[in-house]
Amino acid sequence: MSAALSVLDLVPVRAGQTSAQAVAASLALAQRADELGYRRYWFAEHHNMPAVASTTPPVLIAAAATRTSRIRVGSGGVMLPNHAPLVVAEQFAALEAIAPGRIDLGLGRAPGSDPVITQLLRMSGTSSDVDRFPDHVRDIAAIMSADGASVRLTGRGDSEDRYSIHATPAATGAPEVWLLGSSDYSAQLAAAFGLPYVFANHFSGEGLERALELYRTQFQPSEHLDAPRTFLTANAVVAPTSTEAEERMLPQARMMARLRGGRPLTALETVEQSAAAEAEDRLAAPLIDALRRRWFVGTGDEARAALASFADRYGVDEVMVSPVAGAYDAEPMDAADGRVQTLELLAA
């Protein structure tokens, strides 16, 4: 396919697997993506979910950066309402020092969790309330730049009495900032700021066409970008046979159905557990069928052709795949065989 490929990783945790094993599997996957020529590898931010271990993107990015040599690594994304802007800027400035020219900072406006966890995160001292999201996006970009940011000291009468803030003392570069979202708001904000934009199609395909149209028609050139730049995310499960791909799709699809149906969440089922559960529980079938129509599931040839058509349809030169292939019972706990297979077959 002509469009470049990238990877979005939520660090899935399957039944019987420890967090350490899940992280080890994802770091091995990042190394393989680097070897296969993928453009970038992003970690998502989610909290308090039994099947997701990507709670702290900066930590995972640092680990992946030291295990790779070429691929860009970043966040998809940091959920800004959960964090103080200065802390985010400092973390990503440090990451840029670890892997110069290879760091992406994707910023999102959603909390990435339930209201209780959001409250706990904000109790830790963050100042990034959601209503000030645009201000904090600007602040982070400025603080990470080589020139830093300048703020007026409060309570001083002299308008020239200002304070200089730098995320790191002697920056020679800065991470590339992206805005992420699945709404008109995020598309319009990215356009107004002249920032690259990613529509979270892997999570919600609703409103994709409108979001891209708003972003492209309202885009204002900036010091960051001359023209609109965007790519899309997509869930993918690829295997040597269509039958295997369909089997490996079921664990993640069932988890998404549980999430959207308001059912209690669990660690990700194995393929065998999902097949047994689905035979008894057909309530999830309509939700799973709806998800299946938006995912890219099949053999390498089938998935590559479908992704190329998808990229052409929406006029993007890059697709970020979330490899959501489930594992069979017999597969090692510290490996991601199905997800590695997906990346290898797509890159063939």
Side-chain angles (χ1 to χ4, degrees), residues 168-240:
T168 193
T172 56
E176 190 168 81
V177 178
W178 292 73
L179 283 193
L180 284 58
S182 57
S183 67
D184 293 355
Y185 176 90
S186 57
Q188 291 173 305
L189 186 64
F193 283 4
L195 290 172
Y197 172 63
V198 181
F199 183 87
N201 180 71
H202 71 288
F203 185 75
S204 171
E206 301 298 324
L208 169 57
E209 294 89 347
R210 176 173 169 79
L212 292 184
E213 181 183 7
L214 286 170
Y215 173 65
R216 287 166 171 160
T217 58
Q218 296 183 15
F219 182 85
Q220 299 295 315
S222 70
E223 60 180 314
H224 307 286
L225 205 59
D226 313 351
R229 183 182 177 198
T230 186
F231 64 77
L232 304 174
T233 60
N235 290 312
V237 182
V238 189

Side-chain angles (χ1 to χ4, degrees), residues 128-192:
S128 281
D129 58 276
V130 72
D131 293 334
R132 296 193 59 202
F133 180 76
D135 296 331
H136 293 309
V137 171
R138 287 194 201 93
D139 292 344
I140 288 171
I143 294 169
M144 289 191 306
S145 70
D147 294 335
S150 178
V151 297
R152 182 179 177 182
L153 297 177
T154 58
R156 305 292 183 96
D158 185 355
S159 62
E160 298 303 318
D161 194 1
R162 304 187 71 83
Y163 189 81
S164 180
I165 305 175
H166 291 78
T168 193
T172 56
E176 190 168 81
V177 178
W178 292 73
L179 283 193
L180 284 58
S182 57
S183 67
D184 293 355
Y185 176 90
S186 57
Q188 291 173 305
L189 186 64

Side-chain angles (χ1 to χ4, degrees), residues 78-90:
V78 165
M79 299 295 101
L80 190 48
N82 300 337
H83 309 284
L86 177 59
V87 173
V88 175
E90 288 179 331

Side-chain angles (χ1 to χ4, degrees), residues 65-154:
T66 60
R67 289 165 171 79
T68 55
S69 60
R70 178 203 54 80
I71 196 168
R72 296 187 67 89
V73 285
S75 58
V78 165
M79 299 295 101
L80 190 48
N82 300 337
H83 309 284
L86 177 59
V87 173
V88 175
E90 288 179 331
Q91 288 171 341
F92 278 80
L95 289 169
E96 178 68 19
I98 292 171
R102 291 203 292 131
I103 301 298
D104 294 331
L105 170 54
L107 294 170
R109 183 169 172 260
S113 188
D114 57 71
V116 174
I117 297 300
T118 300
Q119 183 180 7
L120 291 173
L121 286 165
R122 292 182 180 180
M123 285 171 60
S124 66
T126 179
S127 60
S128 281
D129 58 276
V130 72
D131 293 334
R132 296 193 59 202
F133 180 76
D135 296 331
H136 293 309
V137 171
R138 287 194 201 93
D139 292 344
I140 288 171
I143 294 169
M144 289 191 306
S145 70
D147 294 335
S150 178
V151 297
R152 182 179 177 182
L153 297 177
T154 58

